[in-house]
Amino acid sequence: MMASAALMTAACERVPDESDRPETSLEFPRPDRPVSELGSNQFSTETARDSRGEAQKVMDFAELTTGMTVADIGAGEGYYTVRLAERVGTEGRVLAQDIDDDALGRLARRVERERLDNVSIKPGAPDDPRLPDNSFDRIFLVHMYHEVEEPYAFLWRLWPALKEGGMVIVVDVDRPTDQHGINPFLLTCEFKQVGFTLDTLRNAPELAGYYAQFRRAATRPEPGAMKPCKGAAAKAAKRAAESGSG
């Protein structure tokens, strides 16, 4: 009887509860880490962020130029949206996306008030940014990736949206994922699992965190072939990076 109970317990442990996941994510691995609760749409005051030159620095790192088409994922109150719109100019386009309908409503009023004719607004889903294929030179994920509940599904569906030579830009903080940040080596591991390669990683105190830039790899794996990254994988990636730099 005790052996049977042990076998039943082991079987239960091997089959995680999927009831809290959207059906559209079930074929993808669940992240093997905590996920931050949704935070404020206002990471800091815009005046404070501009005093550090945050947006300008990120756009410079990303080599953003006039005429590009970009996406601002997790746009919130539009701090990046309005500055991206100015940088790409009238010949460029900005798609602002968020899963918070109230935030999108406020952003829409701001876009109208500031007459940003090169900005479009679109709601996303927690596991799908809902971006058109082959459309973007740059996709920005600023202080939001740690809140994505289904990162593997989300990134897999984001992958086709990049144009040839396009980049995904991540700005985040090196701290635990349930404290509104993510270790950069864990971030890199998760992106790699979905079919991205790291192009640039740099510490940037003026961004209150770090800057990471990813290219789309030649192919993306099938959802069932992905393995969730663990803390050990992130540490191994860090050791490999440090040994390579030496």
Side-chain angles (χ1 to χ4, degrees), residues 9 21 23 37 39 61 70-71 82 119 128 131 133 150 153 169 172 176 196 208 216 228 246:
T9 300
R21 304 182 71 195
E23 289 188 10
E37 296 181 0
F61 286 162
V70 303
V82 300
V119 174
D128 187 353
L131 301 178
D133 290 356
E150 297 286 347
I169 309 302
D172 222 308
F196 292 92
R216 187 172 68 183

Side-chain angles (χ1 to χ4, degrees), residues 127-138:
D127 63 348
D128 187 353
R130 295 176 176 170
L131 301 178
D133 290 356
N134 194 34
S135 297
F136 297 97
D137 300 291
R138 302 288 186 272

Side-chain angles (χ1 to χ4, degrees), residues 147-163:
E147 296 178 355
V148 178
E149 295 181 1
E150 297 286 347
Y152 298 102
F154 181 88
L155 291 176
W156 194 84
R157 292 172 176 139
L158 180 147
W159 190 93
L162 285 174
K163 293 180 180 179

Side-chain angles (χ1 to χ4, degrees), residues 42-88:
Q42 187 176 23
F43 176 74
S44 178
T45 67
E46 295 196 5
T47 300
R49 296 173 84 171
D50 279 344
S51 69
R52 298 192 299 267
E54 178 185 331
Q56 296 302 317
K57 182 65 70 175
V58 169
M59 292 187 292
D60 288 345
F61 286 162
E63 298 181 344
L64 195 66
T65 59
T66 300
M68 283 187 171
T69 299
V70 303
D72 181 15
I73 308 301
E77 305 294 328
Y79 172 74
Y80 271 86
T81 299
V82 300
R83 289 156 180 80
L84 292 169
E86 180 180 2
R87 176 69 74 96
V88 301

